[in-house]
Amino acid sequence: MKDQTEKTGISVIIPVYNAEKYIERCINSVVAQTYNNWEMIVINDGSTDNTENIIREKAKADNRIQIYSQNNQGAGIARNNGISKATGEYIVFLDADDYVNKEYFSLLMEKNEDVVFIDAKKLDEKTRAITLEKMSRYKAKEKDDIIRYQMIGTMPWGGLEKSSKT
């Protein structure tokens, strides 16, 4: 268990809506990280399926997982609500159908950057690559623009952001 004086390294924010098919894999990929100084903030955005029950079961097994519920308001508002609850030095946004390699957080923490974007593979249900999302195309953008794109949902995938709560 984390010492109370130790600051959380990464706050993982996951907005979810009717994601019962995917959310367990997403959560499991975070729990399996080799870098362990993280908290997960799952914002249930009014799911009407079994999503919330799945998350609650996962939260019982790992006290780093927090779940909050809201009426359906969309992913942007859910992310903002997650940010308001985050205590980490960095924020990672994941979508409920994302999953990450077990070294993902370790590699991100090696960077000394305010914002990090990683090219991502989109996979079909049999985990075959179908597209490569080139997040590196945003590298020339200003940090404030990148954050705005992410928050309003015009950017197709998450990233790592240095929290302003440091």
Side-chain angles (χ1 to χ4, degrees), residues 65-129:
I65 302 171
Q66 305 163 42
I67 181 171
Y68 300 92
S69 293
Q70 65 182 35
N71 292 331
N72 183 257
Q73 299 176 66
I77 291 174
R79 284 186 190 102
N80 284 336
N81 288 337
I83 289 169
S84 72
K85 296 171 182 352
T87 64
E89 181 178 6
Y90 292 93
I91 293 174
V92 170
F93 296 106
L94 293 177
D95 290 331
D97 61 348
D98 293 340
Y99 61 100
V100 292
N101 179 285
K102 67 181 180 177
E103 299 292 327
Y104 184 70
F105 292 171
S106 294
L107 293 170
L108 290 175
M109 292 304 285
E110 289 176 8
K111 304 290 180 194
N112 187 21
E113 302 291 338
D114 289 334
V115 178
V116 176
F117 288 97
I118 298 167
D119 293 343
K121 290 180 188 174
K122 290 187 178 185
L123 307 174
D124 66 14
E125 289 186 12
K126 295 182 180 178
T127 66
R128 294 180 299 211

Side-chain angles (χ1 to χ4, degrees), residues 5-153:
T5 60
E6 182 183 354
K7 184 170 179 72
T8 302
I10 295 175
S11 293
V12 183
I13 299 172
I14 307 172
V16 298
Y17 176 76
N18 289 349
E20 67 183 5
K21 290 182 181 178
Y22 311 107
I23 191 61
E24 187 169 11
R25 180 173 63 179
C26 178
I27 292 171
N28 287 344
S29 75
V30 173
V31 171
Q33 293 298 299
T34 58
Y35 178 85
N36 291 309
N37 188 13
W38 54 264
E39 67 179 353
M40 181 187 304
I41 301 165
V42 183
I43 306 294
N44 179 25
D45 189 32
S47 294
T48 58
D49 64 1
N50 198 36
T51 298
E52 186 170 357
N53 292 331
I54 294 167
I55 300 164
R56 290 204 182 282
E57 284 301 311
K58 291 294 184 182
K60 286 180 189 175
D62 193 319
N63 65 0
R64 297 173 293 180
I65 302 171
Q66 305 163 42
I67 181 171
Y68 300 92
S69 293
Q70 65 182 35
N71 292 331
N72 183 257
Q73 299 176 66
I77 291 174
R79 284 186 190 102
N80 284 336
N81 288 337
I83 289 169
S84 72
K85 296 171 182 352
T87 64
E89 181 178 6
Y90 292 93
I91 293 174
V92 170
F93 296 106
L94 293 177
D95 290 331
D97 61 348
D98 293 340
Y99 61 100
V100 292
N101 179 285
K102 67 181 180 177
E103 299 292 327
Y104 184 70
F105 292 171
S106 294
L107 293 170
L108 290 175
M109 292 304 285
E110 289 176 8
K111 304 290 180 194
N112 187 21
E113 302 291 338
D114 289 334
V115 178
V116 176
F117 288 97
I118 298 167
D119 293 343
K121 290 180 188 174
K122 290 187 178 185
L123 307 174
D124 66 14
E125 289 186 12
K126 295 182 180 178
T127 66
R128 294 180 299 211
I130 51 177
T131 61
L132 176 64
E133 190 65 54
K134 298 290 280 184
M135 294 307 299
S136 54
R137 68 183 175 192
Y138 294 102
K139 67 182 178 184
K141 301 285 186 192
E142 294 293 320
K143 179 174 65 171
D144 290 343
D145 289 335
I146 290 170
I147 293 168
R148 184 173 34 263
Y149 296 156
Q150 175 63 48
M151 297 311 299
I152 63 174

